[in-house]
Amino acid sequence: MTGSLDGRTAIVTGASRGIGLAAAAALHDAGANVVLTARTEEAAAEAAASVGPRAMGVGAHVTDEDLARACVERTMERFGSVDVLVNNAGTNPAYGPVLQQDHGRFAKTLDVNLWGPILWSRLVVDAWMGEHGGSIVNTASIGGLSVGPDLGVYHVSKAALIHLTKQLAIELGPGIRVNAVAPGVVRTRLAEALWKEHEAAVDDRTPLGRIGEPTDVGAAIAFLASPAASWITGETLVIDGGQMIGAGAALDRLATQGG
């Protein structure tokens, strides 16, 4: 389904758990060498050990340029290439209405969710992909394709990431493909507030009948990174079990009942 990644090397940011860890495992299963980053070397090493023998953990906060550059350099020294970059690290410290957020929370959200992917993309392009080609996959969100209460700054950052995906696809083609995934509600720590206390309700409004698992998204990331997606660039693949269309159907039912 994914196409072989034998002999290729991937970096996955924010890979100590959740979608990042699942993506690293899927890439490793497809044959790639995988470098997992986390805020600490210990967390990264533990995650890498759980993935397999061709995995390496590196402590590198996503917005620290010196640590990011050191990670890319270590990857080149260990494996000799950086063929795939998964910009997965994300944050959401700004909960509540947009106009009630302070600059600190706004800046942190945009710094991690938007500047981080720009920084890491530049580093891997300079180190390898610019000359040899490759694939970049950004982890966005269905929030970047819709609106809703309390997560406005996060949604804006993911909408910008979706647009950045298209922009980089134009700037870096034809040698480098750039795509994104837009997960719905997935069983991760970052999304706990959206499902933990009302998972049955989330299941009910999901056409496929269940909350998403990190492996659902990880498999899609591995597909987009692989030769099987060699004629796909600038696209955002929604992976939500139908949650976006399910929400629309629920509104239609309410409108019908109200009429």
Side-chain angles (χ1 to χ4, degrees), residues 11 13 61-73 76 82-87 111 114-133 135-138 161 164 167-169 171-172 176-178:
I11 295 176
T13 67
H61 192 281
V62 69
T63 61
D64 187 315
E65 184 167 352
D66 290 337
L67 291 178
R69 180 176 292 104
C71 176
V72 173
E73 290 173 352
M76 292 294 298
V82 185
D83 309 283
V84 175
L85 171 66
V86 180
N87 286 309
D111 206 27
L114 191 60
W115 173 247
I118 293 172
L119 170 63
W120 285 78
S121 297
R122 173 169 56 82
L123 290 172
V124 300
V125 167
D126 290 348
W128 177 262
M129 290 189 192
E131 183 175 353
H132 302 278
S135 175
I136 297 171
V137 184
N138 299 318
L161 183 58
L164 176 68
Q167 184 66 36
L168 290 182
E171 294 184 6
L172 298 179
I176 302 171
R177 297 184 301 106
V178 186

Side-chain angles (χ1 to χ4, degrees), residues 14-26:
S16 62
R17 61 178 185 264
I19 290 172
L21 182 57

Side-chain angles (χ1 to χ4, degrees), residues 74-123:
R74 286 177 62 181
T75 302
M76 292 294 298
E77 290 169 1
R78 171 77 179 272
F79 297 115
S81 68
V82 185
D83 309 283
V84 175
L85 171 66
V86 180
N87 286 309
N88 174 73
T91 191
N92 180 30
Y95 185 81
V98 171
L99 298 186
Q100 293 181 11
Q101 304 309 310
D102 60 31
H103 182 259
R105 288 193 291 262
F106 173 85
K108 181 177 180 179
T109 305
L110 272 292
D111 206 27
V112 172
N113 295 353
L114 191 60
W115 173 247
I118 293 172
L119 170 63
W120 285 78
S121 297
R122 173 169 56 82
L123 290 172

